[in-house]
Amino acid sequence: MSNPSQSALPKVSNEMAQLSVSENQLSTFGLSTQLSLLGRNTDEQYGFVNPPLYRGSTVIHKTLDSIENSKGKFYYGAAGSPTVANLEDAWCHLTGAAGTVLSPSGLSSITIALLCLVKAGDHILVCDSVYQPTRVFCDGLLAKLGVRTQYYNPLIGDDLEELIGPNTSLIYLESPGSQTMETQDIPTIVRIAKKHGIKTILDNTWATPLFFNAHGHGIDISLEAGTKYLGGHSDLFIGLTSANEACWPALRKTYDTMCALPGADDCLLALRGMRTLHLRLKEIERKTLELATWLSERSEVAEVRHPAMKTCPGHANWLRDYKGSSGVFSIVLKDAFTRGGLENMLENMSLFKLGFSWGGYDSLIIPINPRAYRTILEWPQTGFAMRVQVGLEDPEDLKRDLELGFDRLAGKN
Ligand SMILES: Cc1ncc(COP(=O)(O)O)c(C=O)c1O
């Protein structure tokens, strides 16, 4: 006898509400509508708004031909699932990429992108403002594999051409750079790269595709630590690496060899984060600008490095190429405070937390020291520097938290 509750399940039919639209139709909608529709197909989900979670390793095939030739859209869990494909497809739509692969962290999406474009004997150019673990990967594993990394000033502009040699295969960009926040002149770098047949990779995590269109600017491979703004709630790790037509086959092939798949739950959480990405980013942008401006007027602060502020190196590039700014920037304090004062300030904040991974709803503040590991850029400042990430709290509360913190810094309480 059939289970009555099962037989009561409605058959997927045209009478049910269908939110699925064609790729062409999707592109005619505004961004908010697109973000709400991407990566789901209600008529295939029994009318449920959100896609189901597919966990799985084994995929059952019905014929010998199918299993012998890995046929079917999904033939083995490690090669993809509907949950993975929903996020990959949505990201391709958002970035205009030919293809996207997902990985278990932002750092793994960086290493996959690099490994897919280099071989032993190559010389690669990497901006000196790169996320520090990327540098560790280049100086460690890539060096061991026979790839030589040369760092360049992120604001080098046309002079980058002079660094190109006969075996230069790749230019790596991160814009704005980690900690020092320089927005790079991406059109100039892409022009030079194309002239010499060199590929480009951009870490676009800070801006996301909403604030910077990497492939539209000619970048070959763009990556996003979805751990940050896409997830948005500090509860997942995921990386998204997208490629244009020219680099997609190499990226997919490298990825398939490495089998670096994120967990299905994290893919679903990332897809959920996509629905509100624009709302969170706009709110964070507004609050961050308010706070950065306020900080720039404080007597304790020597410099604020926020890409949307005139004082930030590379600001003109940001103004020309970016559609918005997110919530991470840096400040440098005047050279008048002690380590004890800094500890008293940072260890006793109420709202700003000491934590690494940004992009969530909590505000964070951590000390930074670019001088300790940069090899090209001179860091002229001598005062303590800090990276600030603004979350979703009220700016007035954040200012009060900082105000009390500055008092502790100065030994006033
Ligand atoms: C600019 C940038 N790219 C990549 C990453 C790596 O992301 P994940 O923490 O997911 O490995 C980070 C992490 O902080 C980052 O700041």
Side-chain angles (χ1 to χ4, degrees):
M1 224 175 84
S2 66
N3 179 339
S5 65
Q6 272 175 16
S7 58
L9 272 181
K11 282 254 176 301
V12 177
S13 83
N14 292 337
E15 289 134 49
M16 297 184 67
Q18 294 185 14
L19 285 184
S20 56
V21 290
S22 71
E23 183 70 18
N24 284 346
Q25 203 184 349
L26 198 56
S27 303
T28 65
F29 293 128
L31 179 67
S32 309
T33 312
Q34 292 185 43
L35 290 173
S36 82
L37 291 174
L38 282 167
R40 64 197 178 114
N41 193 330
T42 312
D43 54 325
E44 286 174 4
Q45 298 161 195
Y46 296 96
F48 278 84
V49 167
N50 287 296
L53 176 68
Y54 284 83
R55 290 178 211 266
S57 51
T58 314
V59 178
I60 307 296
H61 293 251
K62 288 211 164 117
T63 65
L64 273 185
D65 173 48
S66 175
I67 197 154
E68 282 172 351
N69 297 300
S70 299
K71 282 193 171 167
K73 187 165 181 199
F74 305 106
Y75 59 91
Y76 179 49
S81 68
T83 301
V84 167
N86 281 339
L87 182 56
E88 285 174 348
D89 292 349
W91 199 251
C92 281
H93 177 87
L94 212 56
T95 56
T100 295
V101 291
L102 309 178
S103 40
S105 68
L107 182 57
S108 64
S109 69
I110 292 169
T111 59
I112 286 165
L114 283 162
L115 285 172
C116 111
L117 292 182
V118 297
K119 60 181 184 321
D122 280 357
H123 164 246
I124 65 172
L125 292 165
V126 176
C127 61
D128 200 32
S129 51
V130 75
Y131 172 57
Q132 205 180 347
T134 308
R135 178 186 290 268
V136 171
F137 181 75
C138 292
D139 295 346
L141 196 66
L142 284 192
K144 206 168 95 179
L145 298 176
V147 176
R148 185 170 70 87
T149 301
Q150 180 176 1
Y151 294 95
Y152 66 90
N153 177 341
L155 295 177
I156 190 170
D158 281 312
D159 290 346
L160 183 65
E161 197 158 10
E162 286 165 24
L163 305 183
I164 292 173
N167 54 348
T168 309
S169 60
L170 170 71
I171 302 173
Y172 188 99
L173 303 89
E174 182 180 317
S175 185
S178 279
Q179 301 190 350
T180 41
M181 304 308 299
E182 304 87 345
T183 303
Q184 297 193 251
D185 183 352
I186 298 175
T188 296
I189 295 177
V190 166
R191 179 176 48 73
I192 294 170
K194 287 197 187 305
K195 183 175 157 197
H196 293 268
I198 294 170
K199 300 286 186 252
T200 47
I201 299 176
L202 169 69
D203 185 335
N204 197 30
T205 302
W206 181 89
T208 84
L210 269 50
F211 288 159
F212 184 73
N213 178 355
H215 297 304
H217 277 82
I219 291 288
D220 292 302
I221 295 191
S222 177
L223 53 96
E224 181 80 22
T227 312
K228 318 297 176 203
Y229 287 124
L230 185 59
H233 295 75
S234 305
D235 54 3
L236 67 94
F237 268 102
I238 200 163
L240 303 97
T241 316
S242 59
N244 61 11
E245 291 285 352
C247 288
W248 172 234
L251 176 62
R252 183 75 227 190
K253 199 169 166 197
T254 306
Y255 180 77
D256 286 342
T257 343
M258 296 176 73
C259 186
L261 204 68
D265 303 69
D266 290 342
C267 295
L268 207 60
L269 280 176
L271 197 59
R272 185 165 78 163
M274 195 179 287
R275 314 287 175 219
T276 56
L277 181 60
H278 58 311
L279 299 176
R280 288 183 283 107
L281 276 180
K282 274 283 156 205
E283 185 74 352
I284 284 168
E285 176 178 45
R286 183 179 67 75
K287 289 177 170 169
T288 306
L289 282 169
E290 183 177 334
L291 214 73
T293 308
W294 178 84
L295 278 165
S296 68
E297 289 157 3
R298 292 287 308 191
S299 62
E300 299 85 353
V301 175
E303 188 183 353
V304 175
R305 286 193 171 209
H306 183 298
M309 290 170 75
K310 279 197 185 114
T311 47
C312 192
H315 169 71
N317 298 329
W318 177 84
L319 202 59
R320 184 191 58 200
D321 301 331
Y322 284 63
K323 291 193 206 130
S325 59
S326 61
V328 176
F329 64 99
S330 297
I331 60 171
V332 184
L333 300 180
K334 291 205 175 126
D335 196 5
F337 305 104
T338 62
R339 168 81 195 180
L342 188 73
E343 275 172 18
N344 196 10
M345 173 181 177
L346 297 184
E347 290 175 2
N348 293 295
M349 304 293 285
S350 309
L351 298 174
F352 280 92
K353 314 282 188 327
L354 285 165
F356 285 120
S357 197
W358 47 276
Y361 50 88
D362 262 342
S363 290
L364 306 171
I365 190 162
I366 53 168
I368 56 171
N369 183 9
R371 193 181 286 113
Y373 61 94
R374 296 286 169 81
T375 47
I376 302 296
L377 285 170
E378 282 185 19
W379 182 244
Q381 302 282 7
T382 47
F384 294 120
M386 290 182 260
R387 188 197 73 187
V388 180
Q389 118 96 14
V390 178
L392 288 168
E393 306 94 333
D394 288 308
E396 288 312 317
D397 296 331
L398 294 176
K399 285 181 207 165
R400 182 80 191 124
D401 201 26
L402 285 167
E403 210 159 39
L404 293 172
F406 283 137
D407 282 352
R408 290 191 299 279
L409 176 73
K412 289 188 197 154
N413 60 15

mmCIF file of all heavy atoms in Angstrom, residues 116-158:
data_model
loop_
_atom_site.group_PDB
_atom_site.id
_atom_site.type_symbol
_atom_site.label_atom_id
_atom_site.label_comp_id
_atom_site.label_asym_id
_atom_site.label_seq_id
_atom_site.Cartn_x
_atom_site.Cartn_y
_atom_site.Cartn_z
ATOM 1 N N CYS A 116 46.053 26.862 -11.447
ATOM 2 C CA CYS A 116 45.541 26.587 -12.802
ATOM 3 C C CYS A 116 46.287 27.389 -13.868
ATOM 4 O O CYS A 116 46.270 27.017 -15.029
ATOM 5 C CB CYS A 116 44.036 26.774 -12.829
ATOM 6 S SG CYS A 116 43.403 28.138 -13.725
ATOM 7 N N LEU A 117 46.974 28.464 -13.464
ATOM 8 C CA LEU A 117 47.597 29.313 -14.484
ATOM 9 C C LEU A 117 49.130 29.289 -14.489
ATOM 10 O O LEU A 117 49.745 29.989 -15.280
ATOM 11 C CB LEU A 117 47.118 30.764 -14.326
ATOM 12 C CG LEU A 117 45.644 31.030 -14.656
ATOM 13 C CD1 LEU A 117 45.314 32.504 -14.501
ATOM 14 C CD2 LEU A 117 45.297 30.573 -16.075
ATOM 15 N N VAL A 118 49.743 28.510 -13.602
ATOM 16 C CA VAL A 118 51.217 28.520 -13.580
ATOM 17 C C VAL A 118 51.804 27.130 -13.818
ATOM 18 O O VAL A 118 51.143 26.118 -13.606
ATOM 19 C CB VAL A 118 51.776 29.064 -12.235
ATOM 20 C CG1 VAL A 118 51.361 30.502 -12.025
ATOM 21 C CG2 VAL A 118 51.343 28.195 -11.060
ATOM 22 N N LYS A 119 53.063 27.137 -14.252
ATOM 23 C CA LYS A 119 53.803 25.875 -14.394
ATOM 24 C C LYS A 119 55.261 26.131 -13.973
ATOM 25 O O LYS A 119 55.679 27.312 -13.859
ATOM 26 C CB LYS A 119 53.733 25.357 -15.829
ATOM 27 C CG LYS A 119 54.309 26.308 -16.836
ATOM 28 C CD LYS A 119 54.191 25.743 -18.232
ATOM 29 C CE LYS A 119 54.858 26.639 -19.251
ATOM 30 N NZ LYS A 119 54.708 28.091 -19.076
ATOM 31 N N ALA A 120 56.015 25.076 -13.754
ATOM 32 C CA ALA A 120 57.412 25.211 -13.333
ATOM 33 C C ALA A 120 58.167 26.093 -14.327
ATOM 34 O O ALA A 120 57.990 25.952 -15.543
ATOM 35 C CB ALA A 120 58.055 23.833 -13.253
ATOM 36 N N GLY A 121 58.961 26.994 -13.812
ATOM 37 C CA GLY A 121 59.755 27.873 -14.675
ATOM 38 C C GLY A 121 59.111 29.237 -14.903
ATOM 39 O O GLY A 121 59.748 30.149 -15.419
ATOM 40 N N ASP A 122 57.842 29.371 -14.503
ATOM 41 C CA ASP A 122 57.145 30.656 -14.717
ATOM 42 C C ASP A 122 57.602 31.714 -13.719
ATOM 43 O O ASP A 122 58.037 31.410 -12.604
ATOM 44 C CB ASP A 122 55.624 30.470 -14.559
ATOM 45 C CG ASP A 122 54.989 29.876 -15.804
ATOM 46 O OD1 ASP A 122 55.717 29.659 -16.800
ATOM 47 O OD2 ASP A 122 53.774 29.626 -15.775
ATOM 48 N N HIS A 123 57.387 32.956 -14.137
ATOM 49 C CA HIS A 123 57.601 34.119 -13.288
ATOM 50 C C HIS A 123 56.234 34.785 -13.150
ATOM 51 O O HIS A 123 55.527 34.952 -14.147
ATOM 52 C CB HIS A 123 58.602 35.049 -13.997
ATOM 53 C CG HIS A 123 58.652 36.450 -13.466
ATOM 54 N ND1 HIS A 123 58.247 37.546 -14.207
ATOM 55 C CD2 HIS A 123 59.067 36.948 -12.267
ATOM 56 C CE1 HIS A 123 58.429 38.647 -13.494
ATOM 57 N NE2 HIS A 123 58.928 38.314 -12.321
ATOM 58 N N ILE A 124 55.827 35.101 -11.920
ATOM 59 C CA ILE A 124 54.530 35.768 -11.765
ATOM 60 C C ILE A 124 54.687 37.066 -10.980
ATOM 61 O O ILE A 124 55.590 37.207 -10.142
ATOM 62 C CB ILE A 124 53.477 34.850 -11.091
ATOM 63 C CG1 ILE A 124 53.856 34.514 -9.641
ATOM 64 C CG2 ILE A 124 53.268 33.559 -11.895
ATOM 65 C CD1 ILE A 124 52.749 33.788 -8.890
ATOM 66 N N LEU A 125 53.799 38.013 -11.274
ATOM 67 C CA LEU A 125 53.825 39.316 -10.606
ATOM 68 C C LEU A 125 52.633 39.392 -9.658
ATOM 69 O O LEU A 125 51.484 39.204 -10.080
ATOM 70 C CB LEU A 125 53.758 40.432 -11.653
ATOM 71 C CG LEU A 125 54.998 40.543 -12.538
ATOM 72 C CD1 LEU A 125 54.727 41.408 -13.772
ATOM 73 C CD2 LEU A 125 56.169 41.135 -11.728
ATOM 74 N N VAL A 126 52.910 39.653 -8.399
ATOM 75 C CA VAL A 126 51.858 39.687 -7.378
ATOM 76 C C VAL A 126 51.938 41.025 -6.643
ATOM 77 O O VAL A 126 53.036 41.462 -6.255
ATOM 78 C CB VAL A 126 52.037 38.515 -6.385
ATOM 79 C CG1 VAL A 126 51.016 38.592 -5.254
ATOM 80 C CG2 VAL A 126 51.930 37.171 -7.100
ATOM 81 N N CYS A 127 50.797 41.673 -6.438
ATOM 82 C CA CYS A 127 50.831 42.986 -5.777
ATOM 83 C C CYS A 127 51.304 42.824 -4.329
ATOM 84 O O CYS A 127 50.965 41.854 -3.648
ATOM 85 C CB CYS A 127 49.465 43.665 -5.835
ATOM 86 S SG CYS A 127 48.149 42.764 -5.020
ATOM 87 N N ASP A 128 52.075 43.803 -3.884
ATOM 88 C CA ASP A 128 52.679 43.727 -2.552
ATOM 89 C C ASP A 128 51.627 43.887 -1.449
ATOM 90 O O ASP A 128 51.891 43.606 -0.283
ATOM 91 C CB ASP A 128 53.740 44.826 -2.426
ATOM 92 C CG ASP A 128 54.741 44.539 -1.315
ATOM 93 O OD1 ASP A 128 55.026 43.355 -1.075
ATOM 94 O OD2 ASP A 128 55.221 45.507 -0.688
ATOM 95 N N SER A 129 50.426 44.318 -1.836
ATOM 96 C CA SER A 129 49.347 44.537 -0.857
ATOM 97 C C SER A 129 48.461 43.305 -0.739
ATOM 98 O O SER A 129 47.341 43.380 -0.241
ATOM 99 C CB SER A 129 48.503 45.729 -1.317
ATOM 100 O OG SER A 129 48.132 45.522 -2.683
ATOM 101 N N VAL A 130 48.974 42.171 -1.195
ATOM 102 C CA VAL A 130 48.157 40.952 -1.253
ATOM 103 C C VAL A 130 47.871 40.407 0.158
ATOM 104 O O VAL A 130 48.671 40.602 1.085
ATOM 105 C CB VAL A 130 48.902 39.902 -2.131
ATOM 106 C CG1 VAL A 130 50.082 39.273 -1.404
ATOM 107 C CG2 VAL A 130 47.958 38.839 -2.647
ATOM 108 N N TYR A 131 46.748 39.755 0.279
ATOM 109 C CA TYR A 131 46.347 39.046 1.515
ATOM 110 C C TYR A 131 47.511 38.139 1.936
ATOM 111 O O TYR A 131 48.031 37.363 1.129
ATOM 112 C CB TYR A 131 45.090 38.249 1.171
ATOM 113 C CG TYR A 131 44.564 37.289 2.207
ATOM 114 C CD1 TYR A 131 44.226 37.706 3.492
ATOM 115 C CD2 TYR A 131 44.337 35.955 1.868
ATOM 116 C CE1 TYR A 131 43.707 36.815 4.414
ATOM 117 C CE2 TYR A 131 43.812 35.062 2.782
ATOM 118 C CZ TYR A 131 43.502 35.501 4.057
ATOM 119 O OH TYR A 131 42.982 34.612 4.967
ATOM 120 N N GLN A 132 47.928 38.247 3.184
ATOM 121 C CA GLN A 132 49.194 37.623 3.595
ATOM 122 C C GLN A 132 49.281 36.109 3.314
ATOM 123 O O GLN A 132 50.319 35.632 2.836
ATOM 124 C CB GLN A 132 49.469 37.917 5.070
ATOM 125 C CG GLN A 132 50.941 37.860 5.387
ATOM 126 C CD GLN A 132 51.223 38.140 6.853
ATOM 127 O OE1 GLN A 132 50.357 38.600 7.591
ATOM 128 N NE2 GLN A 132 52.432 37.867 7.274
ATOM 129 N N PRO A 133 48.238 35.325 3.563
ATOM 130 C CA PRO A 133 48.340 33.887 3.247
ATOM 131 C C PRO A 133 48.552 33.601 1.749
ATOM 132 O O PRO A 133 49.120 32.567 1.396
ATOM 133 C CB PRO A 133 46.997 33.322 3.729
ATOM 134 C CG PRO A 133 46.613 34.239 4.849
ATOM 135 C CD PRO A 133 47.039 35.605 4.373
ATOM 136 N N THR A 134 48.141 34.523 0.872
ATOM 137 C CA THR A 134 48.419 34.349 -0.560
ATOM 138 C C THR A 134 49.928 34.444 -0.783
ATOM 139 O O THR A 134 50.529 33.679 -1.542
ATOM 140 C CB THR A 134 47.693 35.434 -1.396
ATOM 141 O OG1 THR A 134 46.323 35.443 -1.038
ATOM 142 C CG2 THR A 134 47.845 35.192 -2.887
ATOM 143 N N ARG A 135 50.537 35.396 -0.100
ATOM 144 C CA ARG A 135 51.999 35.563 -0.168
ATOM 145 C C ARG A 135 52.699 34.300 0.343
ATOM 146 O O ARG A 135 53.662 33.820 -0.267
ATOM 147 C CB ARG A 135 52.388 36.776 0.686
ATOM 148 C CG ARG A 135 53.856 37.078 0.768
ATOM 149 C CD ARG A 135 54.093 38.209 1.767
ATOM 150 N NE ARG A 135 53.610 39.480 1.278
ATOM 151 C CZ ARG A 135 54.354 40.365 0.595
ATOM 152 N NH1 ARG A 135 55.626 40.107 0.354
ATOM 153 N NH2 ARG A 135 53.848 41.494 0.179
ATOM 154 N N VAL A 136 52.186 33.759 1.445
ATOM 155 C CA VAL A 136 52.792 32.552 2.021
ATOM 156 C C VAL A 136 52.717 31.401 0.996
ATOM 157 O O VAL A 136 53.675 30.645 0.806
ATOM 158 C CB VAL A 136 52.077 32.163 3.345
ATOM 159 C CG1 VAL A 136 52.538 30.806 3.851
ATOM 160 C CG2 VAL A 136 52.319 33.240 4.405
ATOM 161 N N PHE A 137 51.581 31.301 0.297
ATOM 162 C CA PHE A 137 51.418 30.247 -0.713
ATOM 163 C C PHE A 137 52.408 30.445 -1.870
ATOM 164 O O PHE A 137 53.047 29.493 -2.338
ATOM 165 C CB PHE A 137 49.971 30.256 -1.239
ATOM 166 C CG PHE A 137 49.693 29.194 -2.249
ATOM 167 C CD1 PHE A 137 49.532 27.870 -1.868
ATOM 168 C CD2 PHE A 137 49.606 29.503 -3.609
ATOM 169 C CE1 PHE A 137 49.289 26.870 -2.807
ATOM 170 C CE2 PHE A 137 49.358 28.522 -4.548
ATOM 171 C CZ PHE A 137 49.203 27.199 -4.150
ATOM 172 N N CYS A 138 52.534 31.693 -2.323
ATOM 173 C CA CYS A 138 53.445 31.967 -3.446
ATOM 174 C C CYS A 138 54.897 31.707 -3.047
ATOM 175 O O CYS A 138 55.645 31.059 -3.784
ATOM 176 C CB CYS A 138 53.302 33.426 -3.898
ATOM 177 S SG CYS A 138 51.724 33.782 -4.663
ATOM 178 N N ASP A 139 55.287 32.206 -1.869
ATOM 179 C CA ASP A 139 56.687 32.069 -1.436
ATOM 180 C C ASP A 139 57.015 30.647 -0.997
ATOM 181 O O ASP A 139 58.182 30.263 -0.951
ATOM 182 C CB ASP A 139 56.981 33.029 -0.269
ATOM 183 C CG ASP A 139 56.865 34.488 -0.687
ATOM 184 O OD1 ASP A 139 56.824 34.739 -1.907
ATOM 185 O OD2 ASP A 139 56.787 35.361 0.194
ATOM 186 N N GLY A 140 55.981 29.886 -0.645
ATOM 187 C CA GLY A 140 56.198 28.523 -0.167
ATOM 188 C C GLY A 140 55.954 27.494 -1.256
ATOM 189 O O GLY A 140 56.878 27.095 -1.974
ATOM 190 N N LEU A 141 54.712 27.108 -1.408
ATOM 191 C CA LEU A 141 54.408 26.007 -2.323
ATOM 192 C C LEU A 141 54.752 26.330 -3.785
ATOM 193 O O LEU A 141 55.347 25.515 -4.493
ATOM 194 C CB LEU A 141 52.929 25.624 -2.206
ATOM 195 C CG LEU A 141 52.600 24.276 -2.812
ATOM 196 C CD1 LEU A 141 53.260 23.150 -2.046
ATOM 197 C CD2 LEU A 141 51.091 24.058 -2.841
ATOM 198 N N LEU A 142 54.395 27.538 -4.241
ATOM 199 C CA LEU A 142 54.687 27.857 -5.657
ATOM 200 C C LEU A 142 56.195 27.892 -5.900
ATOM 201 O O LEU A 142 56.674 27.423 -6.939
ATOM 202 C CB LEU A 142 54.051 29.188 -6.068
ATOM 203 C CG LEU A 142 52.538 29.177 -6.324
ATOM 204 C CD1 LEU A 142 52.110 30.470 -7.011
ATOM 205 C CD2 LEU A 142 52.094 27.983 -7.150
ATOM 206 N N ALA A 143 56.948 28.427 -4.934
ATOM 207 C CA ALA A 143 58.410 28.448 -5.090
ATOM 208 C C ALA A 143 58.943 27.022 -5.174
ATOM 209 O O ALA A 143 59.806 26.704 -5.997
ATOM 210 C CB ALA A 143 59.049 29.198 -3.926
ATOM 211 N N LYS A 144 58.386 26.149 -4.334
ATOM 212 C CA LYS A 144 58.820 24.740 -4.320
ATOM 213 C C LYS A 144 58.521 24.073 -5.670
ATOM 214 O O LYS A 144 59.250 23.186 -6.111
ATOM 215 C CB LYS A 144 58.059 24.014 -3.196
ATOM 216 C CG LYS A 144 58.768 22.818 -2.655
ATOM 217 C CD LYS A 144 58.116 22.340 -1.376
ATOM 218 C CE LYS A 144 57.120 21.232 -1.675
ATOM 219 N NZ LYS A 144 56.471 20.719 -0.478
ATOM 220 N N LEU A 145 57.462 24.534 -6.327
ATOM 221 C CA LEU A 145 57.094 23.953 -7.625
ATOM 222 C C LEU A 145 57.847 24.615 -8.784
ATOM 223 O O LEU A 145 57.591 24.323 -9.941
ATOM 224 C CB LEU A 145 55.584 24.085 -7.862
ATOM 225 C CG LEU A 145 54.691 23.348 -6.850
ATOM 226 C CD1 LEU A 145 53.217 23.629 -7.132
ATOM 227 C CD2 LEU A 145 54.955 21.845 -6.893
ATOM 228 N N GLY A 146 58.719 25.568 -8.458
ATOM 229 C CA GLY A 146 59.538 26.183 -9.513
ATOM 230 C C GLY A 146 58.932 27.429 -10.135
ATOM 231 O O GLY A 146 59.287 27.829 -11.240
ATOM 232 N N VAL A 147 58.017 28.071 -9.403
ATOM 233 C CA VAL A 147 57.420 29.320 -9.893
ATOM 234 C C VAL A 147 58.015 30.471 -9.085
ATOM 235 O O VAL A 147 57.997 30.442 -7.851
ATOM 236 C CB VAL A 147 55.879 29.304 -9.729
ATOM 237 C CG1 VAL A 147 55.273 30.637 -10.157
ATOM 238 C CG2 VAL A 147 55.269 28.146 -10.508
ATOM 239 N N ARG A 148 58.527 31.482 -9.783
ATOM 240 C CA ARG A 148 59.159 32.614 -9.076
ATOM 241 C C ARG A 148 58.173 33.771 -8.969
ATOM 242 O O ARG A 148 57.596 34.202 -9.981
ATOM 243 C CB ARG A 148 60.419 33.067 -9.827
ATOM 244 C CG ARG A 148 61.192 34.162 -9.069
ATOM 245 C CD ARG A 148 62.546 34.415 -9.704
ATOM 246 N NE ARG A 148 62.439 35.065 -11.012
ATOM 247 C CZ ARG A 148 62.362 36.382 -11.193
ATOM 248 N NH1 ARG A 148 62.364 37.199 -10.158
ATOM 249 N NH2 ARG A 148 62.282 36.895 -12.409
ATOM 250 N N THR A 149 57.982 34.241 -7.749
ATOM 251 C CA THR A 149 57.059 35.364 -7.522
ATOM 252 C C THR A 149 57.842 36.655 -7.339
ATOM 253 O O THR A 149 58.798 36.697 -6.561
ATOM 254 C CB THR A 149 56.206 35.122 -6.254
ATOM 255 O OG1 THR A 149 55.472 33.909 -6.420
ATOM 256 C CG2 THR A 149 55.226 36.259 -6.014
ATOM 257 N N GLN A 150 57.410 37.672 -8.061
ATOM 258 C CA GLN A 150 57.983 39.008 -7.845
ATOM 259 C C GLN A 150 56.839 39.928 -7.412
ATOM 260 O O GLN A 150 55.786 39.964 -8.068
ATOM 261 C CB GLN A 150 58.609 39.522 -9.158
ATOM 262 C CG GLN A 150 59.231 40.902 -8.998
ATOM 263 C CD GLN A 150 59.945 41.371 -10.275
ATOM 264 O OE1 GLN A 150 59.955 40.672 -11.301
ATOM 265 N NE2 GLN A 150 60.527 42.553 -10.215
ATOM 266 N N TYR A 151 57.055 40.653 -6.332
ATOM 267 C CA TYR A 151 56.002 41.547 -5.839
ATOM 268 C C TYR A 151 56.139 42.916 -6.498
ATOM 269 O O TYR A 151 57.245 43.356 -6.802
ATOM 270 C CB TYR A 151 56.048 41.642 -4.303
ATOM 271 C CG TYR A 151 55.697 40.302 -3.699
ATOM 272 C CD1 TYR A 151 56.700 39.394 -3.334
ATOM 273 C CD2 TYR A 151 54.374 39.908 -3.571
ATOM 274 C CE1 TYR A 151 56.372 38.141 -2.831
ATOM 275 C CE2 TYR A 151 54.043 38.654 -3.073
ATOM 276 C CZ TYR A 151 55.041 37.779 -2.711
ATOM 277 O OH TYR A 151 54.724 36.539 -2.244
ATOM 278 N N TYR A 152 54.993 43.558 -6.732
ATOM 279 C CA TYR A 152 55.030 44.892 -7.342
ATOM 280 C C TYR A 152 54.203 45.860 -6.512
ATOM 281 O O TYR A 152 53.254 45.460 -5.819
ATOM 282 C CB TYR A 152 54.549 44.853 -8.802
ATOM 283 C CG TYR A 152 53.079 44.499 -8.979
ATOM 284 C CD1 TYR A 152 52.088 45.493 -9.002
ATOM 285 C CD2 TYR A 152 52.673 43.175 -9.143
ATOM 286 C CE1 TYR A 152 50.750 45.167 -9.170
ATOM 287 C CE2 TYR A 152 51.331 42.847 -9.312
ATOM 288 C CZ TYR A 152 50.380 43.841 -9.325
ATOM 289 O OH TYR A 152 49.050 43.520 -9.486
ATOM 290 N N ASN A 153 54.570 47.121 -6.597
ATOM 291 C CA ASN A 153 53.819 48.172 -5.929
ATOM 292 C C ASN A 153 52.398 48.189 -6.516
ATOM 293 O O ASN A 153 52.237 48.329 -7.732
ATOM 294 C CB ASN A 153 54.533 49.507 -6.190
ATOM 295 C CG ASN A 153 53.795 50.685 -5.585
ATOM 296 O OD1 ASN A 153 52.609 50.609 -5.277
ATOM 297 N ND2 ASN A 153 54.507 51.785 -5.422
ATOM 298 N N PRO A 154 51.357 48.045 -5.694
ATOM 299 C CA PRO A 154 49.995 47.957 -6.244
ATOM 300 C C PRO A 154 49.601 49.182 -7.062
ATOM 301 O O PRO A 154 48.704 49.110 -7.906
ATOM 302 C CB PRO A 154 49.105 47.817 -5.001
ATOM 303 C CG PRO A 154 49.954 48.249 -3.842
ATOM 304 C CD PRO A 154 51.362 47.945 -4.227
ATOM 305 N N LEU A 155 50.284 50.324 -6.832
ATOM 306 C CA LEU A 155 49.952 51.536 -7.585
ATOM 307 C C LEU A 155 51.008 51.846 -8.653
ATOM 308 O O LEU A 155 51.181 52.981 -9.064
ATOM 309 C CB LEU A 155 49.808 52.716 -6.612
ATOM 310 C CG LEU A 155 48.641 52.571 -5.625
ATOM 311 C CD1 LEU A 155 48.601 53.741 -4.656
ATOM 312 C CD2 LEU A 155 47.316 52.448 -6.361
ATOM 313 N N ILE A 156 51.639 50.815 -9.130
ATOM 314 C CA ILE A 156 52.755 50.991 -10.075
ATOM 315 C C ILE A 156 52.314 51.579 -11.427
ATOM 316 O O ILE A 156 53.085 52.246 -12.103
ATOM 317 C CB ILE A 156 53.474 49.631 -10.282
ATOM 318 C CG1 ILE A 156 54.779 49.800 -11.044
ATOM 319 C CG2 ILE A 156 52.576 48.646 -10.995
ATOM 320 C CD1 ILE A 156 55.643 48.537 -11.051
ATOM 321 N N GLY A 157 51.105 51.311 -11.846
ATOM 322 C CA GLY A 157 50.595 51.838 -13.121
ATOM 323 C C GLY A 157 51.367 51.293 -14.313
ATOM 324 O O GLY A 157 51.722 50.111 -14.353
ATOM 325 N N ASP A 158 51.674 52.183 -15.270
ATOM 326 C CA ASP A 158 52.314 51.775 -16.530
ATOM 327 C C ASP A 158 53.671 51.107 -16.335
ATOM 328 O O ASP A 158 54.105 50.306 -17.170
ATOM 329 C CB ASP A 158 52.503 52.999 -17.441
ATOM 330 C CG ASP A 158 51.205 53.362 -18.127
ATOM 331 O OD1 ASP A 158 50.562 52.434 -18.678
ATOM 332 O OD2 ASP A 158 50.812 54.546 -18.086
#
